[in-house]
């Protein structure tokens, strides 16, 4: 069995060694132009030429959860596109989102500024009941985040394409459930995949429906958010702030207004990183299952887009 590795911005050696150790007997190599046909590929943002030269792939394993960049390419028709299915990402996402929500709710930025100025002063405690959190996307990451937020006793709402039941989370579904979901939330966490249906979904219309003093946490994709609409609602005071991990252009261009905005906290697309060992173990297990003709989890529906 031949495995080819073609991942942008990723040091190949540790992945190649890990895949060889996990799949003894397989030939694992980094893709080069003109390389022989492989059975399976491990990829992140591969060039179109790679896919054009590998028409007989059985499995195309993305080393991330989001497959939006991959689905923009022309793919071999019969290949199974497989996303990372948690592989250590959901706990990181839960940490990140809970940190952002709690930092805002408990006004830790304000306390930090006060302490830096030598000011010992208290703020009035805020009521959790007044900070309902909405999680857009109740998939692998969204459900974990919703559960983690419930642990801190925030009221939590969730929104997905198809109806879901998550303990202690008020679940809304479909386009018809969106406005009610938004109106129920003061803090909005975006964990949707980027698809034609979800592009630009965080816009003036939707964000205006959040409760006054709303707060936006975007940890999915930059193209979900209409930047100027966020800025306008922050300036009008309808939104109190935002934590953004993902951007339309990454790295975020030096001249972008987000960098200096006093109500925006930025991180460099790091909320849930791909963990190499967990990912290799998961991908190797799925390659073995596919080779045995068994079904696997995490196969992307190319029409749905996730
Ligand atoms: P997932 O398991 O595929 O879950 C996607 C969720 O979104 C599902 O609940 C799905 O609904 C819902 N959804 C999709 N289209 C929708 C629509 N049109 N309307 C309403 N709900 C819709 O994905 P995941 O593993 O949780 O990952 C989510 C995204 O997080 C990824 O696609 C990626 O973009 C992003 N991500 C970011 C980072 C980072 O570091 N910033 C890391 C990992 C992932 P159904 O349940 O009904 O299908
Ligand atoms: C990261 O953004 C991922 O999709 O895994």
């Amino acid at each position: 069995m031949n495995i080819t590795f073609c991942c942008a911005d990723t040091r190949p050696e540790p992945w190649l060694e890990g895949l060889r150790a996990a799949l003894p007997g397989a030939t694992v190599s980094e893709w080069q132009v003109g390389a022989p046909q492989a059975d399976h590929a491990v990829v992140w943002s591969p060039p179109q030429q790679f896919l054009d030269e590998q028409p007989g792939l059985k499995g195309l394993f993305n080393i991330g959860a989001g497959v939006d960049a991959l689905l923009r390419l022309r793919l071999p028709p019969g290949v199974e596109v497989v996303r990372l299915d948690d592989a250590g990402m959901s706990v990181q996402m839960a940490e990140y989102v809970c940190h952002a929500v709690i930092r805002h709710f408990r006004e830790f930025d304000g306390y930090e500024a006060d302490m830096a100025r030598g000011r010992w002063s208290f703020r009035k405690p805020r009521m959790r009941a007044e900070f309902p959190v909405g999680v857009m996307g109740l998939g692998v990451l969204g459900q974990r985040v919703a559960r983690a937020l419930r642990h801190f006793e925030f009221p939590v709402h969730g929104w997905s394409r198809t109806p879901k039941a998550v303990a202690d989370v008020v679940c809304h579904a479909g386009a018809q459930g969106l406005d009610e979901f938004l109106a129920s939330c003061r803090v909005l966490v975006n964990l949707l995949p980027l698809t034609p249906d979800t592009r630009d979904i965080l816009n003036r219309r939707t964000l205006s429906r959040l409760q006054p003093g709303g707060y936006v946490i975007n940890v999915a994709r930059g193209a979900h958010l209409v930047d100027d609409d966020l800025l306008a609602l922050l300036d009008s005071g309808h939104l109190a702030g935002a934590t953004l991990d993902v951007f339309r252009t990454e790295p975020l261009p030096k001249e972008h207004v987000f960098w200096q905005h006093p109500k925006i906290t930025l991180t460099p697309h790091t909320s849930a990183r791909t963990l190499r060992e967990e990912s290799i173990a998961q991908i190797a297990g799925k390659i073995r299952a596919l080779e045995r003709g068994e079904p696997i989890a995490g196969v992307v529906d190319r029409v749905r887009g996730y």
Side-chain angles (χ1 to χ4, degrees):
M1 178 170 57
N2 278 326
I3 314 287
T4 186
F5 179 85
C6 182
C7 294
D9 306 325
T10 308
R11 206 157 63 82
E13 292 79 12
W15 282 87
L16 298 173
E17 280 165 25
L19 286 163
R20 285 179 191 129
L23 291 165
T27 303
V28 183
S29 42
E30 189 180 9
W31 177 73
Q32 313 280 346
V33 173
Q37 175 66 57
D39 298 292
H40 301 279
V42 177
V43 298
W44 181 254
S45 281
Q48 183 62 54
Q49 184 178 7
F50 165 78
L51 295 161
D52 292 344
E53 286 190 12
Q54 294 286 323
L57 285 174
K58 293 183 257 182
L60 190 56
F61 291 86
N62 189 53
I63 61 164
V67 288
D68 44 292
L70 198 51
L71 295 190
R72 279 198 285 273
L73 298 169
R74 206 170 43 251
L75 302 177
V79 72
E80 297 273 41
V81 178
V82 188
R83 42 69 59 90
L84 275 188
D85 199 356
D86 194 335
M89 277 194 269
S90 74
V91 65
Q92 297 177 68
M93 199 52 101
E95 276 163 7
Y96 183 101
V97 171
C98 288
H99 175 263
V101 171
I102 292 167
R103 175 178 170 166
H104 172 61
F105 172 64
R106 294 290 304 272
E107 302 185 86
F108 285 138
D109 285 342
Y111 280 115
E112 207 173 296
D114 286 348
M115 296 312 263
R117 278 191 243 110
R119 253 183 79 190
W120 184 276
S121 71
F122 294 105
R123 285 150 203 265
K124 193 163 161 268
R126 308 214 266 194
M127 296 297 106
R128 229 163 273 274
E130 291 167 15
F131 277 80
V133 184
V135 182
M136 299 180 97
L138 287 175
V140 174
L141 303 183
Q143 287 204 24
R144 178 72 179 252
V145 165
R147 284 203 310 273
L149 289 163
R150 281 300 303 146
H151 184 76
F152 291 104
E153 299 180 13
F154 287 100
V156 178
H157 292 252
W159 184 64
S160 51
R161 197 176 52 82
T162 57
K164 294 274 170 303
V166 182
D168 298 325
V169 173
V170 183
C171 294
H172 310 252
Q176 69 288 356
L178 179 58
D179 284 357
E180 189 190 47
F181 163 74
L182 292 165
S184 312
C185 313
R186 176 149 169 194
V187 179
L188 186 67
V189 179
N190 177 34
L191 271 166
L192 291 167
L194 181 63
T195 69
D197 288 339
T198 66
R199 180 174 291 273
D200 297 331
I201 194 165
L202 304 179
N203 56 46
R204 188 185 290 263
R205 191 197 80 79
T206 53
L207 298 180
S208 299
R209 285 185 153 65
L210 294 179
Q211 296 175 4
Y215 194 89
V216 176
I217 300 173
N218 189 18
V219 277
R221 287 292 182 262
H224 284 126
L225 174 68
V226 180
D227 294 359
D228 286 343
D229 290 1
L230 174 75
L231 291 167
L233 290 166
L234 288 170
D235 290 347
S236 76
H238 180 69
L239 294 180
T243 290
L244 307 177
D245 184 50
V246 287
F247 306 93
R248 285 186 176 255
T249 305
E250 293 182 2
L252 183 65
K254 286 266 176 286
E255 62 284 2
H256 200 292
V257 289
F258 285 171
W259 282 109
Q260 304 302 337
H261 200 292
K263 295 181 180 172
I264 299 180
T265 300
L266 307 177
T267 51
H269 199 145
T270 196
S271 49
R273 304 286 294 270
T274 294
L275 301 180
R276 193 174 57 234
E277 285 177 17
E278 282 89 332
S279 304
I280 288 172
Q282 183 175 105
I283 291 169
K286 289 183 179 183
I287 289 176
R288 285 193 293 268
L290 275 187
E291 287 294 316
R292 291 192 298 267
E294 294 168 6
I296 56 170
V299 174
V300 171
D301 178 332
R302 290 204 221 170
V303 175
R304 216 175 51 171
Y306 68 100

